[in-house]
Amino acid sequence: MNFPPDLVLFDCDGVLVDSEPLSNVVIQDNLARHGLNISIDQVEDYFVGGTLAGVMTTAREMGARLPDDWLDSMYSEIFDVLAAEVEPVPGIVGVLDALDAAGIGYAVGSNGPHRKMEITLTRTGLWTRLLGCIYSREDVTHPKPAPDVYLKAAADAGVPPERCVVIEDSPSGARAGKAAGMACLGYVAGTDPERLAPICDALFRSMDDLPGLLNLRTLA
């Protein structure tokens, strides 16, 4: 597609809010208490970009002894840490400012629940700014890597998929964007570029570079 797009769709965790390092440590510690000792790198490889329900299924297959109420207790642990510690991804406010200045819309599409996004986006000062264009896997039939959440966001905005670009930091999310028929840019500040390079149209390491990739500066 020719940039700039008509709509930019952001993943939430790891793209808008720097929540993944915090969540990964909580997951690692919790699974260790339930008999599964894995490294942070393994947590990232197995679980980043998915759902906690998926974590539960995979962890049990790997030998974790998880109680039936694990999902609720795990959400509670993660939410407590995020509410106290999560910060915005460096540079993301400048990206949103540039999109506003260019008159380009944006929305959020996440595999996380709405409650989690309310916590992280409120603490980081983004909740009010994004209210009304926040989409969760709770809003659609299938989570990422299915394209449902991005297709719904685009449809509600009245923008065809080919005029959208997705910003993702996980292979699962990038596959969702591509399956939706959208361009996808991979944010690799905290992700191994080799995991996203085969899927994304381009990679970038700093949010300061994103306005240029989207060709926003030509609109000034």
mmCIF file of all heavy atoms in Angstrom, residues 104-154:
data_model
loop_
_atom_site.group_PDB
_atom_site.id
_atom_site.type_symbol
_atom_site.label_atom_id
_atom_site.label_comp_id
_atom_site.label_asym_id
_atom_site.label_seq_id
_atom_site.Cartn_x
_atom_site.Cartn_y
_atom_site.Cartn_z
ATOM 1 N N ILE A 104 -5.179 11.381 10.765
ATOM 2 C CA ILE A 104 -5.309 9.943 10.522
ATOM 3 C C ILE A 104 -5.825 9.268 11.788
ATOM 4 O O ILE A 104 -5.311 9.503 12.888
ATOM 5 C CB ILE A 104 -3.960 9.344 10.103
ATOM 6 C CG1 ILE A 104 -3.557 9.903 8.733
ATOM 7 C CG2 ILE A 104 -4.009 7.818 10.061
ATOM 8 C CD1 ILE A 104 -2.166 9.537 8.301
ATOM 9 N N GLY A 105 -6.843 8.443 11.611
ATOM 10 C CA GLY A 105 -7.449 7.767 12.741
ATOM 11 C C GLY A 105 -6.617 6.602 13.238
ATOM 12 O O GLY A 105 -5.740 6.090 12.538
ATOM 13 N N TYR A 106 -6.918 6.174 14.461
ATOM 14 C CA TYR A 106 -6.218 5.019 15.019
ATOM 15 C C TYR A 106 -7.143 4.301 15.998
ATOM 16 O O TYR A 106 -8.121 4.869 16.498
ATOM 17 C CB TYR A 106 -4.906 5.412 15.693
ATOM 18 C CG TYR A 106 -4.954 6.633 16.582
ATOM 19 C CD1 TYR A 106 -5.342 6.541 17.919
ATOM 20 C CD2 TYR A 106 -4.575 7.889 16.089
ATOM 21 C CE1 TYR A 106 -5.361 7.659 18.738
ATOM 22 C CE2 TYR A 106 -4.598 9.006 16.907
ATOM 23 C CZ TYR A 106 -4.990 8.893 18.225
ATOM 24 O OH TYR A 106 -5.019 9.992 19.032
ATOM 25 N N ALA A 107 -6.808 3.036 16.245
ATOM 26 C CA ALA A 107 -7.572 2.213 17.173
ATOM 27 C C ALA A 107 -6.638 1.178 17.774
ATOM 28 O O ALA A 107 -5.491 1.023 17.352
ATOM 29 C CB ALA A 107 -8.746 1.540 16.460
ATOM 30 N N VAL A 108 -7.147 0.466 18.772
ATOM 31 C CA VAL A 108 -6.394 -0.565 19.471
ATOM 32 C C VAL A 108 -7.067 -1.910 19.244
ATOM 33 O O VAL A 108 -8.290 -2.019 19.358
ATOM 34 C CB VAL A 108 -6.333 -0.271 20.986
ATOM 35 C CG1 VAL A 108 -5.462 -1.301 21.689
ATOM 36 C CG2 VAL A 108 -5.839 1.135 21.244
ATOM 37 N N GLY A 109 -6.271 -2.934 18.949
ATOM 38 C CA GLY A 109 -6.788 -4.289 18.818
ATOM 39 C C GLY A 109 -5.920 -5.231 19.627
ATOM 40 O O GLY A 109 -4.737 -5.409 19.319
ATOM 41 N N SER A 110 -6.493 -5.857 20.666
ATOM 42 C CA SER A 110 -5.688 -6.631 21.603
ATOM 43 C C SER A 110 -6.299 -7.995 21.877
ATOM 44 O O SER A 110 -7.520 -8.165 21.829
ATOM 45 C CB SER A 110 -5.560 -5.866 22.928
ATOM 46 O OG SER A 110 -4.890 -6.635 23.911
ATOM 47 N N ASN A 111 -5.435 -8.957 22.204
ATOM 48 C CA ASN A 111 -5.897 -10.244 22.704
ATOM 49 C C ASN A 111 -6.227 -10.187 24.192
ATOM 50 O O ASN A 111 -6.742 -11.155 24.745
ATOM 51 C CB ASN A 111 -4.835 -11.332 22.471
ATOM 52 C CG ASN A 111 -5.105 -12.156 21.238
ATOM 53 O OD1 ASN A 111 -6.137 -12.001 20.582
ATOM 54 N ND2 ASN A 111 -4.190 -13.047 20.901
ATOM 55 N N GLY A 112 -5.920 -9.089 24.843
ATOM 56 C CA GLY A 112 -6.215 -8.947 26.258
ATOM 57 C C GLY A 112 -7.653 -8.535 26.489
ATOM 58 O O GLY A 112 -8.324 -8.001 25.599
ATOM 59 N N PRO A 113 -8.143 -8.748 27.710
ATOM 60 C CA PRO A 113 -9.503 -8.319 28.039
ATOM 61 C C PRO A 113 -9.598 -6.818 28.217
ATOM 62 O O PRO A 113 -8.594 -6.138 28.450
ATOM 63 C CB PRO A 113 -9.786 -9.051 29.357
ATOM 64 C CG PRO A 113 -8.440 -9.245 29.981
ATOM 65 C CD PRO A 113 -7.483 -9.449 28.836
ATOM 66 N N HIS A 114 -10.814 -6.293 28.137
ATOM 67 C CA HIS A 114 -11.009 -4.858 28.312
ATOM 68 C C HIS A 114 -10.537 -4.381 29.678
ATOM 69 O O HIS A 114 -9.987 -3.276 29.803
ATOM 70 C CB HIS A 114 -12.483 -4.496 28.117
ATOM 71 C CG HIS A 114 -12.883 -4.382 26.688
ATOM 72 N ND1 HIS A 114 -12.511 -3.324 25.887
ATOM 73 C CD2 HIS A 114 -13.624 -5.198 25.902
ATOM 74 C CE1 HIS A 114 -13.011 -3.483 24.668
ATOM 75 N NE2 HIS A 114 -13.691 -4.617 24.653
ATOM 76 N N ARG A 115 -10.746 -5.179 30.715
ATOM 77 C CA ARG A 115 -10.337 -4.762 32.056
ATOM 78 C C ARG A 115 -8.831 -4.524 32.128
ATOM 79 O O ARG A 115 -8.371 -3.565 32.746
ATOM 80 C CB ARG A 115 -10.759 -5.819 33.084
ATOM 81 C CG ARG A 115 -10.326 -5.494 34.515
ATOM 82 C CD ARG A 115 -10.873 -4.165 34.997
ATOM 83 N NE ARG A 115 -10.400 -3.834 36.332
ATOM 84 C CZ ARG A 115 -10.201 -2.594 36.771
ATOM 85 N NH1 ARG A 115 -10.437 -1.557 35.968
ATOM 86 N NH2 ARG A 115 -9.770 -2.379 38.006
ATOM 87 N N LYS A 116 -8.064 -5.382 31.481
ATOM 88 C CA LYS A 116 -6.620 -5.206 31.478
ATOM 89 C C LYS A 116 -6.240 -3.913 30.761
ATOM 90 O O LYS A 116 -5.389 -3.146 31.253
ATOM 91 C CB LYS A 116 -5.941 -6.387 30.796
ATOM 92 C CG LYS A 116 -4.423 -6.299 30.767
ATOM 93 C CD LYS A 116 -3.816 -7.504 30.063
ATOM 94 C CE LYS A 116 -2.302 -7.447 30.044
ATOM 95 N NZ LYS A 116 -1.722 -8.587 29.300
ATOM 96 N N MET A 117 -6.848 -3.647 29.620
ATOM 97 C CA MET A 117 -6.522 -2.421 28.893
ATOM 98 C C MET A 117 -6.952 -1.187 29.660
ATOM 99 O O MET A 117 -6.265 -0.156 29.628
ATOM 100 C CB MET A 117 -7.145 -2.461 27.494
ATOM 101 C CG MET A 117 -6.429 -3.410 26.557
ATOM 102 S SD MET A 117 -6.980 -3.272 24.841
ATOM 103 C CE MET A 117 -8.498 -4.230 24.912
ATOM 104 N N GLU A 118 -8.077 -1.273 30.360
ATOM 105 C CA GLU A 118 -8.495 -0.130 31.173
ATOM 106 C C GLU A 118 -7.438 0.182 32.236
ATOM 107 O O GLU A 118 -7.118 1.352 32.489
ATOM 108 C CB GLU A 118 -9.836 -0.413 31.836
ATOM 109 C CG GLU A 118 -10.369 0.762 32.641
ATOM 110 C CD GLU A 118 -11.734 0.511 33.238
ATOM 111 O OE1 GLU A 118 -12.285 -0.596 33.050
ATOM 112 O OE2 GLU A 118 -12.256 1.428 33.908
ATOM 113 N N ILE A 119 -6.871 -0.859 32.839
ATOM 114 C CA ILE A 119 -5.842 -0.669 33.863
ATOM 115 C C ILE A 119 -4.578 -0.066 33.265
ATOM 116 O O ILE A 119 -4.047 0.941 33.748
ATOM 117 C CB ILE A 119 -5.528 -2.008 34.558
ATOM 118 C CG1 ILE A 119 -6.701 -2.435 35.434
ATOM 119 C CG2 ILE A 119 -4.245 -1.909 35.385
ATOM 120 C CD1 ILE A 119 -6.608 -3.858 35.932
ATOM 121 N N THR A 120 -4.073 -0.669 32.189
ATOM 122 C CA THR A 120 -2.790 -0.228 31.645
ATOM 123 C C THR A 120 -2.902 1.121 30.948
ATOM 124 O O THR A 120 -2.019 1.981 31.089
ATOM 125 C CB THR A 120 -2.213 -1.263 30.675
ATOM 126 O OG1 THR A 120 -3.131 -1.484 29.587
ATOM 127 C CG2 THR A 120 -1.949 -2.590 31.377
ATOM 128 N N LEU A 121 -3.973 1.329 30.201
ATOM 129 C CA LEU A 121 -4.115 2.586 29.467
ATOM 130 C C LEU A 121 -4.452 3.742 30.402
ATOM 131 O O LEU A 121 -4.058 4.882 30.147
ATOM 132 C CB LEU A 121 -5.173 2.439 28.381
ATOM 133 C CG LEU A 121 -4.820 1.457 27.257
ATOM 134 C CD1 LEU A 121 -6.006 1.272 26.314
ATOM 135 C CD2 LEU A 121 -3.581 1.907 26.480
ATOM 136 N N THR A 122 -5.160 3.456 31.494
ATOM 137 C CA THR A 122 -5.447 4.512 32.470
ATOM 138 C C THR A 122 -4.171 4.943 33.171
ATOM 139 O O THR A 122 -3.878 6.145 33.292
ATOM 140 C CB THR A 122 -6.483 4.030 33.494
ATOM 141 O OG1 THR A 122 -7.717 3.757 32.827
ATOM 142 C CG2 THR A 122 -6.722 5.092 34.561
ATOM 143 N N ARG A 123 -3.379 3.987 33.637
ATOM 144 C CA ARG A 123 -2.147 4.342 34.351
ATOM 145 C C ARG A 123 -1.191 5.116 33.451
ATOM 146 O O ARG A 123 -0.479 6.025 33.915
ATOM 147 C CB ARG A 123 -1.451 3.096 34.886
ATOM 148 C CG ARG A 123 -0.108 3.419 35.524
ATOM 149 C CD ARG A 123 0.573 2.263 36.191
ATOM 150 N NE ARG A 123 1.991 2.547 36.360
ATOM 151 C CZ ARG A 123 2.507 3.306 37.326
ATOM 152 N NH1 ARG A 123 1.719 3.841 38.244
ATOM 153 N NH2 ARG A 123 3.804 3.526 37.395
ATOM 154 N N THR A 124 -1.149 4.783 32.162
ATOM 155 C CA THR A 124 -0.205 5.426 31.252
ATOM 156 C C THR A 124 -0.760 6.700 30.617
ATOM 157 O O THR A 124 -0.099 7.316 29.778
ATOM 158 C CB THR A 124 0.204 4.446 30.135
ATOM 159 O OG1 THR A 124 -0.967 3.959 29.473
ATOM 160 C CG2 THR A 124 0.987 3.277 30.714
ATOM 161 N N GLY A 125 -1.984 7.087 30.982
ATOM 162 C CA GLY A 125 -2.551 8.327 30.492
ATOM 163 C C GLY A 125 -3.148 8.256 29.098
ATOM 164 O O GLY A 125 -3.436 9.298 28.496
ATOM 165 N N LEU A 126 -3.368 7.051 28.587
ATOM 166 C CA LEU A 126 -3.855 6.887 27.217
ATOM 167 C C LEU A 126 -5.332 6.529 27.139
ATOM 168 O O LEU A 126 -5.912 6.530 26.045
ATOM 169 C CB LEU A 126 -3.039 5.808 26.500
ATOM 170 C CG LEU A 126 -1.542 6.074 26.358
ATOM 171 C CD1 LEU A 126 -0.845 4.864 25.743
ATOM 172 C CD2 LEU A 126 -1.287 7.319 25.520
ATOM 173 N N TRP A 127 -5.948 6.193 28.261
ATOM 174 C CA TRP A 127 -7.311 5.663 28.239
ATOM 175 C C TRP A 127 -8.302 6.651 27.623
ATOM 176 O O TRP A 127 -9.051 6.300 26.698
ATOM 177 C CB TRP A 127 -7.738 5.287 29.659
ATOM 178 C CG TRP A 127 -9.164 4.842 29.787
ATOM 179 C CD1 TRP A 127 -10.211 5.548 30.307
ATOM 180 C CD2 TRP A 127 -9.713 3.580 29.384
ATOM 181 N NE1 TRP A 127 -11.364 4.809 30.263
ATOM 182 C CE2 TRP A 127 -11.089 3.589 29.697
ATOM 183 C CE3 TRP A 127 -9.160 2.434 28.791
ATOM 184 C CZ2 TRP A 127 -11.927 2.505 29.439
ATOM 185 C CZ3 TRP A 127 -10.003 1.349 28.538
ATOM 186 C CH2 TRP A 127 -11.357 1.392 28.853
ATOM 187 N N THR A 128 -8.326 7.874 28.108
ATOM 188 C CA THR A 128 -9.280 8.859 27.606
ATOM 189 C C THR A 128 -9.046 9.152 26.131
ATOM 190 O O THR A 128 -9.996 9.294 25.349
ATOM 191 C CB THR A 128 -9.187 10.162 28.424
ATOM 192 O OG1 THR A 128 -9.442 9.873 29.806
ATOM 193 C CG2 THR A 128 -10.187 11.185 27.933
ATOM 194 N N ARG A 129 -7.797 9.177 25.754
ATOM 195 C CA ARG A 129 -7.447 9.483 24.362
ATOM 196 C C ARG A 129 -7.951 8.404 23.404
ATOM 197 O O ARG A 129 -8.315 8.696 22.265
ATOM 198 C CB ARG A 129 -5.931 9.620 24.250
ATOM 199 C CG ARG A 129 -5.440 10.069 22.899
ATOM 200 C CD ARG A 129 -3.966 10.416 22.943
ATOM 201 N NE ARG A 129 -3.577 11.178 21.783
ATOM 202 C CZ ARG A 129 -2.433 11.821 21.657
ATOM 203 N NH1 ARG A 129 -1.560 11.806 22.656
ATOM 204 N NH2 ARG A 129 -2.148 12.491 20.563
ATOM 205 N N LEU A 130 -7.952 7.158 23.849
ATOM 206 C CA LEU A 130 -8.300 6.029 22.986
ATOM 207 C C LEU A 130 -9.730 5.531 23.181
ATOM 208 O O LEU A 130 -10.180 4.650 22.441
ATOM 209 C CB LEU A 130 -7.325 4.879 23.233
ATOM 210 C CG LEU A 130 -5.875 5.163 22.841
ATOM 211 C CD1 LEU A 130 -4.942 4.139 23.472
ATOM 212 C CD2 LEU A 130 -5.722 5.152 21.328
ATOM 213 N N LEU A 131 -10.425 6.069 24.150
ATOM 214 C CA LEU A 131 -11.769 5.593 24.472
ATOM 215 C C LEU A 131 -12.685 5.669 23.249
ATOM 216 O O LEU A 131 -12.720 6.673 22.543
ATOM 217 C CB LEU A 131 -12.353 6.433 25.606
ATOM 218 C CG LEU A 131 -13.565 5.861 26.330
ATOM 219 C CD1 LEU A 131 -13.225 4.523 26.990
ATOM 220 C CD2 LEU A 131 -14.078 6.855 27.371
ATOM 221 N N GLY A 132 -13.376 4.584 23.002
ATOM 222 C CA GLY A 132 -14.264 4.505 21.846
ATOM 223 C C GLY A 132 -13.661 3.787 20.662
ATOM 224 O O GLY A 132 -14.370 3.464 19.701
ATOM 225 N N CYS A 133 -12.364 3.530 20.726
ATOM 226 C CA CYS A 133 -11.717 2.798 19.629
ATOM 227 C C CYS A 133 -10.776 1.728 20.190
ATOM 228 O O CYS A 133 -9.689 1.515 19.669
ATOM 229 C CB CYS A 133 -10.985 3.749 18.687
ATOM 230 S SG CYS A 133 -9.790 4.842 19.481
ATOM 231 N N ILE A 134 -11.218 1.077 21.271
ATOM 232 C CA ILE A 134 -10.454 0.029 21.933
ATOM 233 C C ILE A 134 -11.166 -1.295 21.729
ATOM 234 O O ILE A 134 -12.325 -1.455 22.131
ATOM 235 C CB ILE A 134 -10.292 0.322 23.433
ATOM 236 C CG1 ILE A 134 -9.547 1.640 23.644
ATOM 237 C CG2 ILE A 134 -9.561 -0.827 24.136
ATOM 238 C CD1 ILE A 134 -9.537 2.114 25.092
ATOM 239 N N TYR A 135 -10.483 -2.245 21.107
ATOM 240 C CA TYR A 135 -11.081 -3.537 20.764
ATOM 241 C C TYR A 135 -10.301 -4.676 21.409
ATOM 242 O O TYR A 135 -9.072 -4.689 21.398
ATOM 243 C CB TYR A 135 -11.123 -3.725 19.250
ATOM 244 C CG TYR A 135 -12.012 -2.720 18.566
ATOM 245 C CD1 TYR A 135 -11.511 -1.474 18.182
ATOM 246 C CD2 TYR A 135 -13.342 -2.997 18.324
ATOM 247 C CE1 TYR A 135 -12.329 -0.536 17.576
ATOM 248 C CE2 TYR A 135 -14.170 -2.058 17.717
ATOM 249 C CZ TYR A 135 -13.658 -0.839 17.349
ATOM 250 O OH TYR A 135 -14.478 0.086 16.758
ATOM 251 N N SER A 136 -11.048 -5.621 21.953
ATOM 252 C CA SER A 136 -10.486 -6.771 22.646
ATOM 253 C C SER A 136 -10.914 -8.058 21.957
ATOM 254 O O SER A 136 -11.916 -8.089 21.233
ATOM 255 C CB SER A 136 -10.978 -6.777 24.100
ATOM 256 O OG SER A 136 -10.823 -8.034 24.709
ATOM 257 N N ARG A 137 -10.190 -9.154 22.240
ATOM 258 C CA ARG A 137 -10.638 -10.453 21.749
ATOM 259 C C ARG A 137 -11.990 -10.809 22.359
ATOM 260 O O ARG A 137 -12.686 -11.693 21.853
ATOM 261 C CB ARG A 137 -9.594 -11.522 22.040
ATOM 262 C CG ARG A 137 -9.088 -11.565 23.484
ATOM 263 C CD ARG A 137 -9.824 -12.540 24.351
ATOM 264 N NE ARG A 137 -9.200 -12.629 25.668
ATOM 265 C CZ ARG A 137 -9.863 -12.961 26.762
ATOM 266 N NH1 ARG A 137 -11.161 -13.207 26.710
ATOM 267 N NH2 ARG A 137 -9.227 -13.024 27.919
ATOM 268 N N GLU A 138 -12.402 -10.097 23.438
ATOM 269 C CA GLU A 138 -13.738 -10.309 23.991
ATOM 270 C C GLU A 138 -14.834 -9.827 23.051
ATOM 271 O O GLU A 138 -15.997 -10.208 23.204
ATOM 272 C CB GLU A 138 -13.862 -9.580 25.333
ATOM 273 C CG GLU A 138 -12.951 -10.129 26.424
ATOM 274 C CD GLU A 138 -12.968 -9.290 27.680
ATOM 275 O OE1 GLU A 138 -13.103 -8.044 27.570
ATOM 276 O OE2 GLU A 138 -12.838 -9.867 28.768
ATOM 277 N N ASP A 139 -14.482 -8.995 22.079
ATOM 278 C CA ASP A 139 -15.470 -8.417 21.159
ATOM 279 C C ASP A 139 -15.691 -9.250 19.909
ATOM 280 O O ASP A 139 -16.566 -8.918 19.095
ATOM 281 C CB ASP A 139 -15.020 -7.014 20.734
ATOM 282 C CG ASP A 139 -14.848 -6.079 21.911
ATOM 283 O OD1 ASP A 139 -15.680 -6.127 22.832
ATOM 284 O OD2 ASP A 139 -13.863 -5.306 21.908
ATOM 285 N N VAL A 140 -14.893 -10.297 19.719
ATOM 286 C CA VAL A 140 -14.941 -11.057 18.471
ATOM 287 C C VAL A 140 -14.965 -12.550 18.763
ATOM 288 O O VAL A 140 -14.786 -12.989 19.904
ATOM 289 C CB VAL A 140 -13.734 -10.710 17.572
ATOM 290 C CG1 VAL A 140 -13.814 -9.256 17.105
ATOM 291 C CG2 VAL A 140 -12.414 -10.963 18.294
ATOM 292 N N THR A 141 -15.163 -13.330 17.716
ATOM 293 C CA THR A 141 -15.285 -14.771 17.880
ATOM 294 C C THR A 141 -13.944 -15.427 18.140
ATOM 295 O O THR A 141 -13.820 -16.302 19.011
ATOM 296 C CB THR A 141 -15.930 -15.395 16.634
ATOM 297 O OG1 THR A 141 -17.206 -14.779 16.408
ATOM 298 C CG2 THR A 141 -16.133 -16.897 16.811
ATOM 299 N N HIS A 142 -12.919 -15.015 17.390
ATOM 300 C CA HIS A 142 -11.621 -15.688 17.467
ATOM 301 C C HIS A 142 -10.526 -14.683 17.806
ATOM 302 O O HIS A 142 -10.464 -13.599 17.226
ATOM 303 C CB HIS A 142 -11.290 -16.363 16.133
ATOM 304 C CG HIS A 142 -12.314 -17.354 15.696
ATOM 305 N ND1 HIS A 142 -12.541 -18.543 16.338
ATOM 306 C CD2 HIS A 142 -13.204 -17.314 14.661
ATOM 307 C CE1 HIS A 142 -13.499 -19.215 15.732
ATOM 308 N NE2 HIS A 142 -13.930 -18.483 14.722
ATOM 309 N N PRO A 143 -9.601 -15.031 18.731
ATOM 310 C CA PRO A 143 -8.486 -14.150 19.046
ATOM 311 C C PRO A 143 -7.403 -14.228 17.971
ATOM 312 O O PRO A 143 -7.443 -15.082 17.078
ATOM 313 C CB PRO A 143 -7.980 -14.710 20.384
ATOM 314 C CG PRO A 143 -8.277 -16.179 20.301
ATOM 315 C CD PRO A 143 -9.580 -16.274 19.541
ATOM 316 N N LYS A 144 -6.443 -13.329 18.060
ATOM 317 C CA LYS A 144 -5.270 -13.435 17.195
ATOM 318 C C LYS A 144 -4.609 -14.797 17.413
ATOM 319 O O LYS A 144 -4.595 -15.293 18.534
ATOM 320 C CB LYS A 144 -4.251 -12.336 17.526
ATOM 321 C CG LYS A 144 -4.763 -10.916 17.438
ATOM 322 C CD LYS A 144 -3.698 -9.957 17.978
ATOM 323 C CE LYS A 144 -4.224 -8.570 18.160
ATOM 324 N NZ LYS A 144 -3.229 -7.652 18.757
ATOM 325 N N PRO A 145 -4.098 -15.428 16.373
ATOM 326 C CA PRO A 145 -3.732 -14.907 15.053
ATOM 327 C C PRO A 145 -4.871 -14.799 14.031
ATOM 328 O O PRO A 145 -4.620 -14.490 12.875
ATOM 329 C CB PRO A 145 -2.686 -15.909 14.561
ATOM 330 C CG PRO A 145 -3.080 -17.197 15.197
ATOM 331 C CD PRO A 145 -3.608 -16.819 16.561
ATOM 332 N N ALA A 146 -6.102 -15.089 14.440
ATOM 333 C CA ALA A 146 -7.227 -14.805 13.548
ATOM 334 C C ALA A 146 -7.338 -13.289 13.354
ATOM 335 O O ALA A 146 -6.971 -12.515 14.242
ATOM 336 C CB ALA A 146 -8.513 -15.366 14.132
ATOM 337 N N PRO A 147 -7.865 -12.843 12.232
ATOM 338 C CA PRO A 147 -7.890 -11.403 11.930
ATOM 339 C C PRO A 147 -9.067 -10.652 12.530
ATOM 340 O O PRO A 147 -9.192 -9.439 12.340
ATOM 341 C CB PRO A 147 -7.981 -11.390 10.402
ATOM 342 C CG PRO A 147 -8.762 -12.629 10.076
ATOM 343 C CD PRO A 147 -8.302 -13.661 11.081
ATOM 344 N N ASP A 148 -9.924 -11.341 13.288
ATOM 345 C CA ASP A 148 -11.227 -10.796 13.673
ATOM 346 C C ASP A 148 -11.161 -9.416 14.319
ATOM 347 O O ASP A 148 -11.920 -8.514 13.965
ATOM 348 C CB ASP A 148 -11.935 -11.754 14.636
ATOM 349 C CG ASP A 148 -12.201 -13.126 14.047
ATOM 350 O OD1 ASP A 148 -11.423 -13.546 13.159
ATOM 351 O OD2 ASP A 148 -13.153 -13.788 14.479
ATOM 352 N N VAL A 149 -10.259 -9.233 15.305
ATOM 353 C CA VAL A 149 -10.259 -7.986 16.056
ATOM 354 C C VAL A 149 -9.852 -6.803 15.173
ATOM 355 O O VAL A 149 -10.419 -5.699 15.290
ATOM 356 C CB VAL A 149 -9.358 -8.091 17.309
ATOM 357 C CG1 VAL A 149 -7.876 -8.133 16.955
ATOM 358 C CG2 VAL A 149 -9.646 -6.957 18.289
ATOM 359 N N TYR A 150 -8.928 -7.032 14.255
ATOM 360 C CA TYR A 150 -8.530 -5.947 13.362
ATOM 361 C C TYR A 150 -9.589 -5.666 12.299
ATOM 362 O O TYR A 150 -9.819 -4.513 11.939
ATOM 363 C CB TYR A 150 -7.176 -6.268 12.725
ATOM 364 C CG TYR A 150 -6.028 -6.111 13.694
ATOM 365 C CD1 TYR A 150 -5.017 -7.055 13.788
ATOM 366 C CD2 TYR A 150 -5.953 -4.998 14.527
ATOM 367 C CE1 TYR A 150 -3.965 -6.907 14.688
ATOM 368 C CE2 TYR A 150 -4.905 -4.840 15.426
ATOM 369 C CZ TYR A 150 -3.919 -5.800 15.507
ATOM 370 O OH TYR A 150 -2.889 -5.639 16.399
ATOM 371 N N LEU A 151 -10.242 -6.697 11.824
ATOM 372 C CA LEU A 151 -11.312 -6.491 10.843
ATOM 373 C C LEU A 151 -12.483 -5.722 11.464
ATOM 374 O O LEU A 151 -13.090 -4.873 10.810
ATOM 375 C CB LEU A 151 -11.781 -7.832 10.288
ATOM 376 C CG LEU A 151 -10.801 -8.533 9.346
ATOM 377 C CD1 LEU A 151 -11.309 -9.926 8.990
ATOM 378 C CD2 LEU A 151 -10.568 -7.707 8.075
ATOM 379 N N LYS A 152 -12.797 -6.030 12.715
ATOM 380 C CA LYS A 152 -13.893 -5.310 13.382
ATOM 381 C C LYS A 152 -13.545 -3.837 13.575
ATOM 382 O O LYS A 152 -14.374 -2.959 13.317
ATOM 383 C CB LYS A 152 -14.216 -5.948 14.727
ATOM 384 C CG LYS A 152 -15.312 -5.205 15.498
ATOM 385 C CD LYS A 152 -15.758 -5.926 16.730
ATOM 386 C CE LYS A 152 -16.795 -5.098 17.520
ATOM 387 N NZ LYS A 152 -17.956 -4.681 16.700
ATOM 388 N N ALA A 153 -12.315 -3.569 13.998
ATOM 389 C CA ALA A 153 -11.904 -2.183 14.197
ATOM 390 C C ALA A 153 -11.976 -1.396 12.898
ATOM 391 O O ALA A 153 -12.454 -0.253 12.869
ATOM 392 C CB ALA A 153 -10.490 -2.131 14.771
ATOM 393 N N ALA A 154 -11.515 -2.003 11.818
ATOM 394 C CA ALA A 154 -11.546 -1.329 10.518
ATOM 395 C C ALA A 154 -12.977 -1.122 10.039
ATOM 396 O O ALA A 154 -13.324 -0.047 9.527
ATOM 397 C CB ALA A 154 -10.747 -2.136 9.500
#
